[in-house]
Amino acid sequence: MSYQHFAGLYDRLMEDAPYDMWVSFVNKAIDVYCEGPASSLLDIGCGTGEISIRLSEKGYNVQGIDLSEEMLTVAREKTEHKGLQIPFYQQDMRDLEGFKEQDVALIFCDSLNYLRTPNDVKTAFQSISKSLKVEGLLLFDVHTLYKIETVFSDHIFTLNDEEISYIWECHPGEEEGSIHHDLSFFVHTGNDVYKRYDESHYQRTYSLETYQSLLDEAGFELLTVTGDFTDHPPNDTSERLFFVARKKG
């Protein structure tokens, strides 16, 4: 997976992403499940910093983590422009270093789906657990199996815009619940010239029960699972699962 070119296009492609709804999910989870005030947040898979920035503006002490230095460069530029103090670190969520006694960790926008195996997911949960205080919260969302196998599988998505266009092809992966995303972007550079960039991404997801088991093995208690930015349990056609888990004492 490469973000070399994708990072520069990401915010333009994600202009309509429901960032405020993710932030609302964080606020609600903290209000309901934190016994005391929660101030220190780890935004894991923070990308270009959109959620980190919103949470910082609400008064949280946020630190952003991402595997892509290109994405973090964009995040730092945006944060500096807004006059905010958000430290960003290039780290793998499976091997976090330097974070202790955090109140909340969050992994949104299906970042967890980029891990290739169940053991990778459990390793990430264990690494995050070491960074949280006892009874700290882990909040994350993932694609459902329905979305991977029905919405994505063997489908082609396109965008035809004056400034940027893309062709996005989705092919089933070798493992159950996996998908290959092959994207070709065409970016207008002036004088009716478009430059092409190609990206390949791989994602994988699991059943709700598998995530629950992995959380338990990593030392977390699952508190609630909801679907598609609602307060309701997921159903057979939910496309995104939202988890709230607590680090066991």
Side-chain angles (χ1 to χ4, degrees), residues 136-195:
L137 296 183
L138 169 58
L139 318 176
F140 66 95
D141 70 339
V142 291
H143 294 312
T144 60
L145 285 169
Y146 168 80
K147 186 172 185 180
I148 292 287
E149 296 171 353
T150 304
V151 178
F152 281 150
S153 187
D154 290 321
H155 282 71
I156 298 175
F157 305 92
T158 61
L159 173 70
N160 186 16
D161 188 79
E162 289 186 3
E163 296 300 320
I164 182 170
S165 300
Y166 65 70
I167 301 171
W168 170 12
E169 299 181 71
C170 302
H171 307 289
E174 296 74 22
E175 299 89 1
E176 181 182 2
S178 65
I179 198 81
H180 290 280
H181 302 285
D182 294 318
L183 303 100
S184 295
F185 300 96
F186 303 88
V187 182
H188 187 239
T189 60
N191 299 322
D192 294 327
V193 175
Y194 285 79
K195 188 169 184 177

Side-chain angles (χ1 to χ4, degrees), residues 51-121:
I51 293 175
S52 295
I53 288 169
R54 284 167 169 79
L55 290 170
S56 178
E57 289 174 335
K58 289 186 176 294
Y60 292 109
N61 177 18
V62 185
Q63 299 180 85
I65 301 161
D66 203 275
L67 192 60
S68 167
E69 184 59 38
E70 290 82 9
M71 298 287 261
L72 292 175
T73 296
V74 177
R76 293 185 184 105
E77 291 172 353
K78 287 157 54 174
T79 300
E80 182 179 351
H81 178 73
K82 288 181 172 288
L84 299 172
Q85 299 294 321
I86 305 175
F88 292 100
Y89 304 96
Q90 184 186 17
Q91 291 193 21
D92 189 319
M93 69 175 75
R94 295 166 294 184
D95 189 24
L96 299 177
E97 295 182 353
F99 308 103
K100 296 292 184 182
E101 298 294 313
Q102 299 294 303
D103 294 315
V104 181
L106 45 120
I107 316 171
F108 289 145
C109 204
D110 38 84
S111 294
L112 195 69
N113 289 131
Y114 282 96
L115 300 183
R116 300 185 70 96
T117 69
N119 190 61
D120 284 334
V121 176

Side-chain angles (χ1 to χ4, degrees), residues 209-223:
E209 293 76 17
T210 297
Y211 284 111
Q212 183 173 9
S213 177
L214 294 171
L215 284 165
D216 182 66
E217 292 173 19
F220 284 95
E221 173 193 4
L222 180 59
L223 301 177

